[in-house]
Amino acid sequence: FTAQLTVAFNLFWNGTFGPSALRALDQGETARFLDWYMFDFRLEGGSKRIIDLFADESAIQLPTLERERIEAWSKSYTSLYRMIGQVNHSGLQVEDMLQDEPVLLMDTGFGHLGLSGDVIIGRVLRSSTPPHLSWAAVLLPASMADPLTVFAREGFKQYCDTHPLGSWPEFLS
């Protein structure tokens, strides 16, 4: 995977860093890159992702619960979420800003860090009840909501021009 990792690293960082810079990145930057690389980056040939390869090779050997977890992870995608507020100290109510859907999440800290209206860019992993955000999620101020939503909707519009039956999950994954 070394060649693929180099291609992915340059794509993710817009050619700014080489793979040797991975050691210089902080934990959050590294987590965001690895999250994208494992779940979104299409390997050479354009169809398989790391999570798909893992699922294909490990499916037979894994217990049912683990296979279900991998399947849920493989269906995940990054989206924009508006924080609504905490629910019972362990839950976080958010709204998917692109699909206008409410989502109840396990609160992994954002409920204490953010304010109602703040934006979370993250991947919801539906492998637990309630679902939770991946470790690469980012909290941004509410003032970023409109520019990010406009940018994403314009990208989706362009995607649908060439994929008339496209959906948000397809576009975002």
Side-chain angles (χ1 to χ4, degrees):
F1 288 110
T2 304
Q4 289 292 300
L5 183 62
T6 301
V7 169
F9 200 85
N10 285 323
L11 180 62
F12 187 84
W13 292 108
N14 201 23
T16 305
F17 303 109
S20 61
L22 189 58
R23 287 183 227 91
L25 300 176
D26 70 28
Q27 185 177 356
E29 292 166 330
T30 302
R32 286 184 283 284
F33 168 71
L34 291 174
D35 182 274
W36 173 80
Y37 180 62
M38 290 172 26
F39 292 109
D40 297 319
F41 180 71
R42 304 287 172 170
L43 297 168
E44 193 171 0
S47 61
K48 294 278 186 173
R49 303 167 298 163
I50 297 291
I51 190 74
D52 299 327
L53 293 178
F54 181 76
D56 292 348
E57 291 183 20
S58 303
I60 296 170
Q61 303 165 17
L62 292 174
T64 302
L65 183 61
E66 295 303 317
R67 281 196 312 267
E68 290 170 357
R69 177 174 289 149
I70 298 300
E71 182 179 345
W73 288 358
S74 71
K75 292 178 181 176
S76 69
Y77 52 87
T78 298
S79 193
L80 303 174
Y81 300 94
R82 182 184 327 272
M83 279 188 46
I84 305 301
Q86 282 187 296
V87 178
N88 298 328
H89 301 292
S90 63
L92 180 64
Q93 186 68 49
V94 298
E95 175 190 19
D96 184 321
M97 296 165 48
L98 302 176
Q99 299 182 74
D100 299 318
E101 295 177 352
V103 182
L104 178 63
L105 300 172
M106 180 185 313
D107 187 1
T108 55
F110 286 107
H112 298 289
L113 297 171
L115 303 171
S116 181
D118 283 353
V119 176
I120 299 170
I121 300 177
R123 175 183 314 281
V124 171
L125 299 173
R126 299 180 189 281
S127 56
S128 61
T129 304
H132 62 283
L133 290 163
S134 79
W135 26 263
V138 176
L139 180 65
L140 298 171
S143 61
M144 296 299 297
D146 288 341
L148 288 169
T149 304
V150 167
F151 180 78
R153 290 188 188 281
E154 181 56 34
F156 183 63
K157 181 180 175 287
Q158 291 176 18
Y159 175 79
C160 287
D161 287 345
T162 56
H163 301 83
L165 300 176
S167 66
W168 278 107
E170 290 168 348
F171 172 66
L172 296 170
S173 59

